[in-house]
Amino acid sequence: GSGSALGPEILAATGADVEVIHADPDGININVRCGATDPASLAEAVVRAGADVGFALDGDADRLIAIDAAGHVVDGDQVLGILALDRLSRGALPGGCLVVSVLSNGGLQATVEAAGGQIVRTPVGDKYILEGMQVSGATLGGEKSGHVIILEHTTSGDGIVTALEVLRVMCARGAPLAELAAAIPMLPQQQRAVKARHKDHWEGDRVLGEAIARANARLGPGGRIIVRPSGTEPALRVMVEGEDAALVLELADSLAALAEDGLD
């Protein structure tokens, strides 16, 4: 993608020993089995090389997904948590505020709040994140997808800038990425995309509405269910989050199946 030329040069300029993969764009292979949307091959390469960290950019390089030394994915929520905790510890997070979308993991919110910060949630989309930052005065915000905005450097998501910030925290703390990520434990969360020609009619579906109410009751106060129409395709998106991984999986599958039957 677009970061394949400059990204390696910028990272190497930090003094890091950089090994590059998937950096031969041909106009067709953008995001094909690589990058922030599919980091499996990067995880394998990190482990194979014995590297300290891996960074995957998406096609237009505005998103970053990190890989720790053991090949585990560190997603946008954990990256945001790492940067937020570092700034909170230095008194460098204005108002202690981190802006995230409604889909960001509840574990991130709990961790930031326990450290004395606060979370502002917005609708899904980077434009809403930026608007939330402007209204709240926050300088850090982003989404689980790895789209991170660091206003001290840029007014939009930039995966290379985010990678540099992660490296900065690793060096400043003298800690591997896995240790930093472990400080932001994630709640079990499942997301489903359900093809639906009538995606905007879901709120009027009584059966689905009652099923969501029952599911919320089963999850208890520590759980969340978000159902929303996709902004980019004819689909309904279902997110279920809670403390019981098996229950979260069961409810996500059942609600998705019900939505598919009712909104086809």
Side-chain angles (χ1 to χ4, degrees), residues 153-247:
H153 299 307
T154 176
T155 57
S156 61
D158 188 314
I160 298 172
V161 168
T162 305
L164 293 172
E165 279 289 295
V166 171
L167 288 175
R168 182 188 61 77
V169 177
M170 290 174 63
C171 292
R173 300 291 170 180
L177 181 59
E179 180 181 324
L180 296 173
I184 307 101
M186 298 286 99
L187 288 172
Q189 186 186 94
Q190 294 285 333
Q191 297 189 39
R192 300 287 184 273
V194 181
K195 292 184 178 179
R197 289 178 296 172
H198 308 294
K199 64 176 182 177
D200 296 318
H201 297 169
W202 77 268
E203 291 182 282
D205 189 297
R206 180 182 58 82
V207 174
L208 181 57
E210 292 175 351
I212 292 172
R214 290 193 299 271
N216 268 315
R218 292 182 65 190
L219 284 172
R224 295 190 301 143
I225 296 175
I226 296 175
V227 180
R228 64 183 181 88
S230 169
T232 57
E233 58 183 320
L236 195 68
R237 301 196 182 276
V238 178
M239 187 280 283
V240 181
E241 179 182 277
E243 297 177 355
D244 185 326
L247 178 59

Side-chain angles (χ1 to χ4, degrees), residues 25 82 93 174-175 185 248:
I82 289 167
L93 193 67
V248 167

Side-chain angles (χ1 to χ4, degrees), residues 100 104-114 117 119 121 184 224:
V100 300
S104 278
N105 197 283
L108 170 62
Q109 179 168 351
T111 300
V112 169
E113 290 177 348
I119 292 289
R121 289 189 181 270
I184 307 101
R224 295 190 301 143

